Amino acid sequence: MINTSSFRQTILLAIITLNLISTWLHYIDNALFLSRYPGPQWFTSVGVISTVIVMTPVGLLGYWFYAKGMFWLAHFLLALYSITSISSPVHYLFPMVTPMSLKMHSLIWLDGIMGLLLIGFLLWSSLVLKEWRSTLPAN
């Protein structure tokens, strides 16, 4: 018999791991090649790296709260963390100074898709499963 709670935690851990990888890859590339990415003038390499450093623990803490059955707080933190990924395609709202490489486009879209995957999990957890109504025993 599969422990469904443990199975959902494993799925979420896999999604967060993919998000962390895609976000770190995109943000490091963005910081290193900032002048080639379209974006606001006030973006700096330090700001880009600082954002990913601050937001990573938010995502990890969200997973921890989810595993502890504290779904309201977990969903809030994970939704907040997903902004780091789903905001990546915002680059396309700014004029391109130089054409972006295939690598840059791929990192932007990979990050955006991983953010949507996390949001999809959160919607499934909160609207379909309604996990926020239940409490899991503390691990």
Side-chain angles (χ1 to χ4, degrees):
M1 186 78 146
I2 294 177
N3 179 344
T4 57
S5 170
S6 177
F7 183 67
R8 288 191 300 268
Q9 288 176 27
T10 302
I11 291 171
L12 179 58
L13 183 58
I15 292 170
I16 289 173
T17 301
L18 292 172
N19 261 270
L20 288 170
I21 292 168
S22 70
T23 300
W24 275 90
L25 286 173
H26 173 227
Y27 278 59
I28 288 172
D29 190 69
N30 196 331
L32 291 174
F33 303 103
L34 188 68
S35 63
R36 296 184 189 164
Y37 276 92
Q41 294 293 333
W42 49 266
F43 265 26
T44 64
S45 294
V46 171
V48 170
I49 294 298
S50 298
T51 299
V52 76
I53 288 172
V54 168
M55 292 304 286
T56 295
V58 171
L60 295 173
L61 193 58
Y63 172 78
W64 186 79
F65 282 122
Y66 183 87
K68 296 293 180 190
M70 302 171 74
F71 298 112
W72 282 97
L73 190 51
H75 289 165
F76 171 74
L77 291 173
L78 291 169
L80 184 62
Y81 175 72
S82 74
I83 294 170
T84 58
S85 297
I86 62 170
S87 64
S88 291
V90 169
H91 283 293
Y92 295 109
L93 298 178
F94 294 91
M96 286 189 206
V97 178
T98 59
M100 288 193 296
S101 68
L102 178 60
K103 172 195 68 168
M104 294 165 78
H105 287 290
S106 299
L107 290 173
I108 289 170
W109 286 108
L110 176 65
D111 204 21
I113 290 167
M114 291 301 106
L116 289 175
L117 186 61
L118 178 55
I119 289 172
F121 179 90
L122 294 175
L123 291 172
W124 175 64
S125 171
S126 60
L127 299 177
V128 176
L129 299 177
K130 299 182 181 174
E131 289 185 296
W132 49 270
R133 288 184 175 175
S134 64
T135 56
L136 292 177
N139 294 344

